[in-house]
Amino acid sequence: QVQLMESGGGLVQAGGSLRLSCAASGRTFGNYGMGWFRQGPGKEREFVATTSRSGTSTYYADSAKGRFTISRDNAKNTVDLLMNSLKPEDTAVYYCAATTSVVMYTTPHQYRYWGQGTQVPVSS
């Protein structure tokens, strides 16, 4: 089992940047694929980005490509999401999640462990 805790959220203006971090504790962090998801007001939870166990492979939602970067540090048990050129439509609660699968899934139900989420309001 792995416990996840996000940090770094907060109010940001459109066009700004924010780095979210997710700290993991518990069993070996490198055994988990990691993902970031978000849930906007009145919306379903949606995929943002995922990284493989080693961090050498990444995959992004179309909405995140070119603006967001996911990275992990297995020595520090952390996975970050750097978000640039933020838009009001990026406003959401952002969650990190862990999966034991080697497949880089984009659907929430494939991730077994979740953090509590961190809010990111983007003002226009």
Side-chain angles (χ1 to χ4, degrees):
Q1 183 169 330
V2 62
Q3 293 81 42
L4 305 173
M5 181 174 292
E6 303 92 342
S7 62
L11 178 64
V12 61
Q13 288 188 332
S17 299
L18 205 61
R19 179 185 290 273
L20 305 182
S21 187
C22 175
S25 61
R27 297 177 63 183
T28 305
F29 181 62
N31 288 346
Y32 297 91
M34 298 299 298
W36 282 95
F37 291 80
R38 68 186 184 186
Q39 188 164 12
K43 299 180 180 179
E44 294 186 354
R45 193 167 297 189
E46 65 176 5
F47 167 74
V48 176
T50 184
T51 180
S52 60
R53 294 176 174 183
S54 65
T56 55
S57 297
T58 58
Y59 184 74
Y60 297 89
D62 287 344
S63 59
K65 286 178 182 177
R67 298 190 301 130
F68 294 3
T69 303
I70 188 172
S71 61
R72 68 187 295 165
D73 186 333
N74 285 351
K76 296 181 179 180
N77 286 10
T78 59
V79 57
D80 289 356
L81 184 69
L82 175 61
M83 304 185 293
N84 294 319
S85 303
L86 282 162
K87 306 173 182 179
E89 51 263 44
D90 294 318
T91 294
V93 178
Y94 284 73
Y95 300 89
C96 69
T99 177
T100 56
S101 174
V102 296
V103 176
M104 296 171 65
Y105 288 115
T106 63
T107 50
H109 73 271
Q110 297 290 356
Y111 288 76
R112 182 173 182 180
Y113 304 103
W114 291 82
Q116 294 298 309
T118 184
Q119 294 202 14
V120 178
V122 182
S123 63
S124 57

